[in-house]
Amino acid sequence: MASVAVERLTKRFGSNTILDEIALAIPEGAFAVLVGPSGCGKSTLLRVLAGLERPSSGTIRFGERDVTRLEPRERDIAMVFQSYALYPHLTVRDNLAFGLTLRKVPPAEIASRVAEASRMLGLDALLDRMPKALSGGQRQRVAMGRAIVRRPGLFLFDEPLSNLDAALRGQVRVEIRRLHEALGTTSIYVTHDQVEAMTLADVMFVLHRGKVEQSGAPLEIYDRPRSRFVAGFLGSPPMNFLEATLVRDGAAWIADSAGARFTLGAAEFDGLVSGRRVIVGVRPHDVALVDEASGQATVELRFEFAEKLGGETYAHASIGGAPFVVRLEPTVDVRVGEARRLAVEPSRVHLFDAETGLALRC
Amino acid sequence: MLRALAALLVLVASLASTRAASAEPVRLWHAYRGAEARALEEIVRTSGIEVELLAVPADAFATKLAAAIPHGEGPDLFIDAHERLGDYLRQGLVAELQVERVGYAPSALRAVEIEGRQLAVPLSQKCVALYVNRALARRVPTDLEDLEAVLVRPLASGEVLLAYESRSAYYHAPFLAAFGGRLLWPDERFGFVGQGAERSLVLARELQRSGKVPGNADGALVTQLFRSGRAAFAVSGPWLAGDLGDAAVQYAVAPLPRVRVTGGRMRPLLTVEAVMASPRGASRPEARALAALLASREAAATRMRIAHVVSARTDVELPDDPVVRGFAEAAREADPMPTSAAMRAVWEPSEKAIRKVLNGSAEPRAALEEAKRRFDDVRRPPPPEASRRPLLVLIGLALLAGALTLVRRSRDASFRAEVVASLPAYRYLIHAVLALGLLVFAPLVAGAAISLTAGRPGETVYVGTANFIDILTARGGPLLATGSFYLVLAVTVAWTVLNVGLHVTIGATLGVLLSRPVLRMRAAYRVLLIVPWAVPSYVTALAWRGMFHRQFGAVTALTTKLRALGVDLEPIDWFARFATAFAANVTTNVWLGFPFMMVVTIAALTSLPREVLEAAEVDGATRWQRFTRIVVPIVRPSMIPSVALGAVWTFNMFNVVFLVSGGEPDGQTDILVSEAYRWAFTRQAQYGYAAAYSVLIFALLFGVTRLGARFGRRAAT
């Protein structure tokens, strides 16, 4: 088991910079998730950590060891691939045992470790099958088992759930987290799925264009996104964004978006200057429909259509012509074309600079 | 459509009737080209007889005659070399053609006579003679031993005393004659054996060892040496004079000299070109008249004037051409080539013996005795005719069993229903079945049927399994003697294993290298490495044969270059020893074969996912372990069929063996297929025997591939 420290890691292919001065600090035993849209460099970063790619510059340390120049097999890691990469010519048992055989582990030891891993993953009945006779979920479990039997210091997961159907994905996600609780091995997990990232991560790194945009505990990032990109990437449905201008109204600060006025919690923001162009961000979950008479500061919106999911309803609406999604209780009756008023708690309003996209939060 | 067909029929019928009505022209076939063809046209034009002339390529002449004449087609008269008369007579292609026996050279008349019957009218005669380079020789020598004595000056390096095709039995025949020998005695005994023959070989070997005669000379080399003035003397025929037309060398032509130790003259083999008549032509008076006219004094004069050939007549005045005069004189001393069909069995064993003696791998006596054994082996009488009863019983039983199975299966209602249901499918299959049946199965069955017969074409008899028994018992000789089935099989197996091993090793290595993404210009290398595969294999084989030539080959040039750098390498006579000849064959075939394996490997490797290799890398596999434990096992199943295919191709790789080593030395590098070819086409047309070889090859390959497939399946499960 090892902590992971990455410093100023850069990877270029020709003139393309894929990874740009990446820094990671992952404590021992943590489950770290690298998340970002496709093309953000997360998979390349994982391959550099595995040793399958050489970094152009920077250092990688596993615990006290500098592994930057080491071969994959010298790094004491195990990796689960997106396509599972099972050895097609070997049985499940031999797939699991392959790495141990190479390391000349005594056969009795191999047998017991394979038995242990297959028990953990429910592979007992499949041990003598060939990979091509397995379902997608079973292959995925074999790929995990192959990593577990090695008892490495670090697990690397490269989008291991993306080839599974949605139902199975949720199930395996839970299984992965459970395994991590049981084994306690430091893990680095790459995904583009923010739900996976949120649910699995102890520490999360949001990557964007080869850089770490924000890192930290998932909820902290969710609540206090450092940029409009992070705010928009995490959360489903994504945060609503409206262009607005700051206005002072007595003691209060208001963000005015074409007549829709959002009251701000002034203490939470830096750089409130009257007339500044900003982006207002409001999550669909952070709003409530109110009656005209309630006296709260409200915003008018007009419904366009509703997605009724049963447990909740996402109403697609517009505010001053800009799209706006709100989460409603399933009992709320949404009529297309109807105008309603919306109350937003000032502390749940996010503000971003209109040019840089950085949060104004202090 | 129907009306058009009817009109065509009427047209054909009317044409046929008009043709039958008018007098048919005399049809005359010949193989002449150039001046000789012009001379013939001139003679025919002035004959006043209506003649239809047809020039047939020389190498197809005999087969075309054999295909046409028995069906009443083909020529009335044809002009060919006299030594084929024996064959033609046996096949009934010629009839007696009497002429007045006055005015002909006695040797020419003897040549066209078989068992007292005069079968053709001699026209011209050809034999080899001594070419004397006037720049190097003062006069025409009378004795072979005088050649050096008549030189103007000592020879410089690069010059030779006497150029002739020393490895050819045709050119060795004059030496043999000087020692009183013959290649074939009139009673069809093999003549190239015994003391005289041995002494003739010792003489030829001595000439070559002392450097007076160039080694391994073929016709092109003789021409080249004499044309460039680097040979003081040459032994060759009129064709050399044709090649000297525009050369600067001044020369004379004279009869071959005597050999002083015996006092005997070197008598060359004489070929008489004669006009022959098919049975139909012999019965037509106008054809006989044309034959007489072709052989007349006037025609002979025309022929000598236009084509400069030596007439078979002695009553024609020779032109004032020293070359024609020289050849005419030489022809007087020549022995007519035997007309017996046995003559065709003489060449191969004789030349093998000559080559072995000249390259020093055998003493004359042993080599000649072996040649005689080979001749007798080829000439051995065909096995006695066997009863057809066992075969008929076998076929009957097979048919019966087939019928029974059919009856039993047709009782099964579900089978009947299936047949009925699939009837429409047969409509779509029938053309493929017919084509395959006609192109693949019928020849296969015909070949198998031929293997049960023996005897020359036209007189084959059913002999049952006698051919197979002969082959498998090495015809009563030692089982591992040269040329025995088992020895050839061993060579073939070694050839196959070695070749396929090298194909796979080299092909797979290159394939692996070329699929590495790190390599720059992979596409260019791939194309370059596939080139040997794209060139027709016989072209490649001939190119390699040229490169391995002892004197002029690229390989020899390389050794010469290396010698200049201080590496001491003698030029190797590649085809003189088994190991080097075999190595030359293998080199050529490896060059031809590795691209296929390379392409197969590249294709197999593309099916190998990159992530699997990376998984192994993370799992702790070194580069070598990844190759042996991941790449090889995954790629192997898709390569095994290609390797099996390659093995079958190599087992039957006739082109390379036939064209590169040609079985040299002494037939030792022949494989089963080329051996079968020799039995069919160079050893008295023993088609049955050759077919039996083919059937054995088929059975071997069939059995081995079936076994291989079974083992492959077992290994896979």
Side-chain angles (χ1 to χ4, degrees):
Chain A
M1 240 146 294
S3 59
V4 176
V6 172
E7 276 160 30
R8 301 179 64 100
L9 189 74
T10 299
K11 172 72 184 172
R12 289 185 205 92
F13 288 114
S15 60
N16 285 354
T17 304
I18 307 299
L19 299 175
D20 190 4
E21 307 246 321
I22 297 274
L24 303 176
I26 299 166
E28 196 174 313
F31 198 107
V33 175
L34 308 177
V35 66
S38 16
C40 70
K42 56 190 188 301
S43 282
T44 307
L45 176 54
L46 195 73
R47 291 171 59 79
V48 171
L49 292 177
L52 296 171
E53 304 274 1
R54 283 287 149 95
S56 305
S57 63
T59 57
I60 305 167
R61 251 192 287 281
F62 292 169
E64 297 304 306
R65 284 196 306 155
D66 183 341
V67 301
T68 317
R69 300 282 149 202
L70 294 187
E71 292 288 326
R73 65 196 153 87
E74 298 163 329
R75 295 190 178 199
D76 191 21
I77 51 169
M79 185 159 168
V80 178
F81 289 84
Q82 181 173 358
S83 65
Y84 317 135
L86 302 183
Y87 308 124
H89 59 298
L90 300 179
T91 60
V92 169
R93 188 193 307 280
D94 291 340
N95 261 282
L96 295 180
F98 186 76
L100 300 178
T101 320
L102 290 181
R103 275 159 223 270
K104 307 225 159 44
V105 175
E109 167 86 8
I110 294 180
S112 78
R113 285 216 226 167
V114 168
E116 185 191 342
S118 59
R119 196 169 51 247
M120 281 171 95
L121 293 162
L123 294 171
D124 295 308
L126 309 175
L127 282 177
D128 292 316
R129 290 220 203 145
M130 299 303 279
K132 65 176 177 231
L134 301 179
S135 71
Q138 290 167 334
R139 288 179 202 192
Q140 207 279 337
R141 293 218 298 279
V142 176
M144 302 260 295
R146 193 168 64 182
I148 291 171
V149 293
R150 294 259 318 279
R151 295 185 185 161
L154 179 64
F155 279 131
L156 303 175
F157 297 90
D158 187 8
E159 309 215 20
L161 306 186
S162 59
N163 286 1
L164 300 179
D165 61 57
L168 206 51
R169 206 178 295 161
Q171 192 186 323
V172 177
R173 198 169 69 210
V174 175
E175 237 170 76
I176 290 178
R177 185 67 215 190
R178 192 176 292 142
L179 273 174
H180 179 71
E181 300 296 339
L183 298 170
T185 309
T186 315
S187 302
I188 302 179
Y189 186 106
V190 159
T191 181
H192 64 273
D193 183 324
Q194 47 99 12
V195 178
E196 272 173 38
M198 295 291 296
T199 52
L200 285 171
D202 293 326
V203 51
M204 186 163 89
F205 298 85
V206 182
L207 271 74
H208 183 44
R209 293 183 182 153
K211 291 187 177 187
V212 177
E213 188 96 359
Q214 190 171 5
S215 63
L219 283 180
E220 183 192 312
I221 298 177
Y222 183 83
D223 286 338
R224 300 174 67 83
R226 227 171 58 79
S227 68
R228 185 183 159 175
F229 168 78
V230 177
F233 187 74
L234 296 180
S236 173
M239 188 184 273
N240 298 298
F241 294 108
L242 296 169
E243 286 182 16
T245 313
L246 290 181
V247 182
R248 180 143 207 167
D249 183 8
W253 280 93
I254 307 285
D256 185 328
S257 171
R261 291 161 68 88
F262 296 88
T263 309
L264 307 174
E268 295 180 33
F269 296 105
D270 256 353
L272 296 182
V273 177
S274 193
R276 181 172 179 179
R277 302 287 307 156
V278 293
I279 304 284
V280 173
V282 180
R283 292 200 184 275
H285 301 75
D286 291 341
V287 296
L289 290 182
V290 288
D291 291 332
E292 197 103 26
S294 71
Q296 270 183 287
T298 57
V299 173
E300 192 188 76
L301 83 172
R302 190 171 294 278
F303 288 130
E304 286 171 349
F305 66 95
E307 291 179 290
K308 294 181 180 171
L309 303 184
E312 53 195 353
T313 296
Y314 292 113
H316 291 253
S318 66
I319 293 178
F324 200 93
V325 178
V326 293
R327 179 199 169 275
L328 302 174
E329 288 305 313
T331 49
V332 177
D333 188 20
V334 176
R335 287 194 203 111
V336 173
E338 187 188 9
R340 294 292 295 269
R341 295 205 77 77
L342 202 64
V344 185
E345 175 70 23
S347 67
R348 310 302 291 177
V349 175
H350 302 263
L351 276 190
F352 306 96
D353 185 89
E355 266 83 55
T356 61
L358 290 178
L360 298 189
R361 202 175 286 277
C362 56
Chain B
M1 182 72 192
L2 274 176
R3 276 169 67 181
L5 262 178
L8 201 69
L9 277 176
V10 170
L11 190 71
V12 169
S14 61
L15 274 178
S17 59
T18 52
R19 201 173 149 184
S22 74
E24 260 184 75
V26 178
R27 274 183 278 173
L28 173 61
W29 286 12
H30 65 94
Y32 287 138
R33 292 183 305 172
E36 285 179 295
R38 281 202 308 280
L40 181 64
E41 281 159 18
E42 169 84 18
I43 295 163
V44 165
R45 193 163 48 76
T46 55
S47 69
I49 302 174
E50 198 182 344
V51 179
E52 188 184 297
L53 262 185
L54 183 67
V56 177
D59 46 358
F61 207 84
T63 49
K64 288 229 187 294
L65 288 179
I69 291 177
H71 303 105
E73 298 290 322
D76 299 301
L77 296 176
F78 51 96
I79 299 171
D80 201 357
H82 80 278
E83 64 253 31
R84 283 175 167 173
L85 273 172
D87 263 346
Y88 291 158
L89 182 65
R90 198 169 44 74
Q91 297 178 56
L93 303 181
V94 287
E96 217 163 324
L97 195 60
Q98 293 280 1
V99 287
E100 224 180 323
R101 300 172 60 92
V102 183
Y104 290 98
S107 58
L109 281 177
R110 257 188 292 127
V112 297
E113 235 179 54
I114 295 182
E115 291 161 3
R117 288 202 289 165
Q118 199 178 10
L119 288 167
V121 186
L123 300 181
S124 57
Q125 355 184 33
K126 281 177 187 162
C127 65
V128 296
L130 188 69
Y131 282 74
V132 182
N133 181 348
R134 288 192 179 285
L136 290 174
R138 275 196 311 273
R139 59 175 173 84
V140 173
T142 49
D143 292 351
L144 187 65
E145 291 81 351
D146 277 345
L147 294 187
E148 262 178 314
V150 302
L151 286 181
V152 174
R153 56 167 172 80
L155 294 175
S157 114
E159 291 178 335
V160 295
L161 185 65
L162 172 66
Y164 79 101
E165 294 176 45
S166 54
R167 303 194 304 170
S168 147
Y170 179 76
Y171 286 91
H172 187 76
F175 289 87
L176 180 61
F179 288 89
R182 294 276 185 283
L183 285 173
L184 186 72
W185 296 112
D187 56 1
E188 303 203 337
R189 268 187 306 121
F190 189 64
F192 194 25
V193 70
Q195 216 186 358
E198 285 160 31
R199 287 173 70 197
S200 76
L201 272 179
V202 171
L203 175 62
R205 184 174 65 184
E206 197 41 53
L207 283 172
Q208 189 169 313
R209 279 192 184 159
S210 60
K212 292 172 183 166
V213 165
N216 291 353
D218 56 7
L221 181 67
V222 171
T223 306
Q224 193 190 349
L225 286 172
F226 195 77
R227 214 184 124 86
S228 59
R230 283 182 292 154
F233 303 95
V235 175
S236 191
W239 44 90
L240 176 60
D243 284 334
L244 296 176
D246 57 341
V249 62
Q250 295 290 316
Y251 64 96
V253 173
L256 295 179
R258 293 174 182 279
V259 172
R260 198 175 292 154
V261 280
T262 63
R265 182 171 282 283
M266 296 174 65
R267 300 162 77 87
L269 289 170
L270 181 73
T271 298
V272 175
E273 268 166 8
V275 56
M276 310 171 188
S278 67
R280 191 185 59 171
S283 66
R284 292 183 63 184
E286 61 269 36
R288 286 199 300 274
L290 179 64
L293 193 125
L294 288 173
S296 66
R297 284 183 62 184
E298 294 72 31
T302 310
R303 212 173 281 120
M304 270 204 258
R305 177 166 51 80
I306 297 178
H308 306 285
V309 293
V310 177
S311 173
R313 294 191 81 102
T314 48
D315 53 358
V316 188
E317 197 175 332
L318 287 173
D320 196 20
D321 180 340
V323 175
V324 177
R325 283 170 180 266
F327 276 112
E329 207 178 327
R332 277 198 285 281
E333 308 286 350
D335 287 328
M337 182 100 75
T339 47
S340 158
M343 193 60 199
R344 282 207 276 151
V346 166
W347 303 113
E348 193 193 359
S350 303
E351 286 184 2
K352 277 181 176 170
I354 293 171
R355 281 165 201 218
K356 277 168 100 168
V357 171
L358 289 187
N359 70 29
S361 62
E363 281 306 308
R365 169 163 305 181
L368 290 174
E369 275 166 7
E370 189 181 24
K372 177 168 164 32
R373 268 201 306 280
R374 284 190 166 139
F375 174 85
D376 292 342
D377 192 19
V378 170
R379 289 288 298 168
R380 79 199 182 291
E385 183 161 8
S387 159
R388 285 162 194 263
R389 198 165 297 148
L391 180 71
L392 291 177
V393 168
L394 222 67
I395 292 176
L397 282 179
L399 285 177
L400 203 65
L404 279 179
T405 328
L406 207 66
V407 167
R408 227 193 16 244
R409 294 205 63 180
S410 65
R411 287 220 184 117
D412 182 352
S414 68
F415 175 74
R416 277 209 305 274
E418 262 174 48
V419 169
V420 170
S422 55
L423 272 182
Y426 291 108
R427 210 153 20 120
Y428 299 97
L429 276 177
I430 191 75
H431 63 282
V433 169
L434 278 180
L436 274 180
L438 222 62
L439 296 176
V440 177
F441 293 109
L444 207 67
V445 171
I450 292 175
S451 73
L452 301 176
T453 66
R456 282 166 290 182
E459 47 192 57
T460 51
V461 292
Y462 174 80
V463 295
T465 52
N467 285 330
F468 293 95
I469 293 169
D470 268 3
I471 291 173
L472 294 177
T473 56
R475 296 181 294 284
L479 287 185
L480 289 178
T482 314
S484 86
F485 177 76
Y486 298 99
L487 194 66
V488 177
L489 177 63
V491 171
T492 311
V493 169
W495 157 259
T496 308
V497 169
L498 197 59
N499 269 304
V500 173
L502 287 169
H503 286 167
V504 172
T505 318
I506 297 174
T509 309
L510 287 172
V512 169
L513 285 178
L514 286 180
S515 15
R516 290 170 63 91
V518 289
L519 200 65
R520 279 167 194 273
M521 305 200 1
R522 278 189 296 162
Y525 294 137
R526 276 189 204 185
V527 170
L528 282 179
L529 287 170
I530 287 172
V531 162
W533 194 25
V535 175
S537 63
Y538 64 89
V539 174
T540 311
L542 288 174
W544 276 96
R545 160 132 201 135
M547 286 200 271
F548 284 117
H549 192 283
R550 182 178 180 165
Q551 278 161 315
F552 309 102
V555 178
T556 303
L558 201 68
T559 55
T560 316
K561 284 273 180 334
L562 285 176
R563 203 158 26 171
L565 295 174
V567 184
D568 195 24
L569 277 175
E570 275 297 303
I572 299 168
D573 190 353
W574 287 90
F575 302 112
R577 281 185 305 137
F578 173 77
T580 48
F582 193 68
N585 282 352
V586 169
T587 309
T588 308
N589 199 44
V590 165
W591 168 261
L592 276 169
F594 81 84
F596 174 69
M597 283 300 157
M598 185 186 81
V599 170
V600 168
T601 309
I602 291 175
L605 285 175
T606 54
S607 66
L608 180 71
R610 193 187 62 163
E611 285 202 333
V612 170
L613 286 176
E614 289 178 347
E617 198 176 345
V618 173
D619 259 352
T622 59
R623 192 182 291 272
W624 178 245
Q625 284 171 328
R626 289 202 295 276
F627 183 72
T628 56
R629 292 179 177 232
I630 306 290
V631 176
V632 171
I634 292 179
V635 161
R636 191 166 47 201
S638 52
M639 288 196 58
I640 281 177
S642 312
V643 172
L645 200 62
V648 171
W649 284 342
T650 307
F651 196 90
N652 279 341
M653 183 42 93
F654 177 80
N655 287 359
V656 169
V657 173
F658 188 74
L659 293 175
V660 176
S661 80
E664 281 187 57
D666 200 21
Q668 287 171 19
T669 53
D670 265 324
I671 59 175
L672 286 174
V673 174
S674 59
E675 185 73 7
Y677 170 87
R678 286 180 210 290
W679 281 108
F681 298 108
T682 64
R683 295 174 189 160
Q684 303 262 306
Q686 304 195 34
Y687 294 129
Y689 203 75
Y693 257 93
S694 315
V695 170
L696 285 174
I697 293 170
F698 176 77
L700 274 171
L701 289 178
F702 188 74
V704 169
T705 40
R706 286 309 294 264
L707 275 182
R710 183 164 300 172
F711 280 124
R713 265 204 302 281
R714 194 170 298 166
T717 50

PDB file of all heavy atoms in Angstrom, chain B residues 156 259 279 431 581 594:
ATOM      1  N   ALA B 156      46.747 -16.580 -73.740  1.00  0.00           N
ATOM      2  CA  ALA B 156      46.780 -15.659 -72.597  1.00  0.00           C
ATOM      3  C   ALA B 156      45.737 -16.112 -71.579  1.00  0.00           C
ATOM      4  O   ALA B 156      44.928 -16.998 -71.845  1.00  0.00           O
ATOM      5  CB  ALA B 156      46.484 -14.243 -73.086  1.00  0.00           C
ATOM      6  N   VAL B 259      41.925 -38.902 -82.564  1.00  0.00           N
ATOM      7  CA  VAL B 259      42.589 -39.011 -81.266  1.00  0.00           C
ATOM      8  C   VAL B 259      43.779 -39.920 -81.463  1.00  0.00           C
ATOM      9  O   VAL B 259      43.643 -41.053 -81.934  1.00  0.00           O
ATOM     10  CB  VAL B 259      41.621 -39.582 -80.207  1.00  0.00           C
ATOM     11  CG1 VAL B 259      42.355 -39.868 -78.908  1.00  0.00           C
ATOM     12  CG2 VAL B 259      40.480 -38.594 -79.965  1.00  0.00           C
ATOM     13  N   PRO B 279       0.475 -41.989 -93.398  1.00  0.00           N
ATOM     14  CA  PRO B 279      -0.110 -43.082 -94.192  1.00  0.00           C
ATOM     15  C   PRO B 279      -1.011 -42.557 -95.313  1.00  0.00           C
ATOM     16  O   PRO B 279      -0.994 -43.085 -96.423  1.00  0.00           O
ATOM     17  CB  PRO B 279      -0.924 -43.861 -93.149  1.00  0.00           C
ATOM     18  CG  PRO B 279      -0.253 -43.586 -91.854  1.00  0.00           C
ATOM     19  CD  PRO B 279       0.311 -42.207 -91.958  1.00  0.00           C
ATOM     20  N   HIS B 431     -23.796 -25.921 -61.615  1.00  0.00           N
ATOM     21  CA  HIS B 431     -22.685 -25.469 -62.465  1.00  0.00           C
ATOM     22  C   HIS B 431     -21.356 -25.594 -61.726  1.00  0.00           C
ATOM     23  O   HIS B 431     -20.345 -25.981 -62.302  1.00  0.00           O
ATOM     24  CB  HIS B 431     -22.911 -24.027 -62.920  1.00  0.00           C
ATOM     25  CG  HIS B 431     -22.939 -23.041 -61.804  1.00  0.00           C
ATOM     26  ND1 HIS B 431     -24.028 -22.864 -60.995  1.00  0.00           N
ATOM     27  CD2 HIS B 431     -21.998 -22.207 -61.335  1.00  0.00           C
ATOM     28  CE1 HIS B 431     -23.762 -21.949 -60.095  1.00  0.00           C
ATOM     29  NE2 HIS B 431     -22.536 -21.533 -60.277  1.00  0.00           N
ATOM     30  N   ALA B 581      24.046 -27.851 -53.554  1.00  0.00           N
ATOM     31  CA  ALA B 581      22.912 -27.761 -54.473  1.00  0.00           C
ATOM     32  C   ALA B 581      21.616 -27.648 -53.679  1.00  0.00           C
ATOM     33  O   ALA B 581      20.736 -26.846 -53.986  1.00  0.00           O
ATOM     34  CB  ALA B 581      22.870 -28.985 -55.387  1.00  0.00           C
ATOM     35  N   PHE B 594       9.050 -16.798 -47.692  1.00  0.00           N
ATOM     36  CA  PHE B 594       8.868 -16.107 -46.415  1.00  0.00           C
ATOM     37  C   PHE B 594       7.829 -14.986 -46.456  1.00  0.00           C
ATOM     38  O   PHE B 594       7.150 -14.742 -45.460  1.00  0.00           O
ATOM     39  CB  PHE B 594      10.215 -15.606 -45.861  1.00  0.00           C
ATOM     40  CG  PHE B 594      10.694 -14.321 -46.457  1.00  0.00           C
ATOM     41  CD1 PHE B 594      10.247 -13.110 -45.960  1.00  0.00           C
ATOM     42  CD2 PHE B 594      11.584 -14.316 -47.505  1.00  0.00           C
ATOM     43  CE1 PHE B 594      10.679 -11.922 -46.518  1.00  0.00           C
ATOM     44  CE2 PHE B 594      12.010 -13.141 -48.075  1.00  0.00           C
ATOM     45  CZ  PHE B 594      11.551 -11.940 -47.573  1.00  0.00           C
TER      46      PHE B 594
END
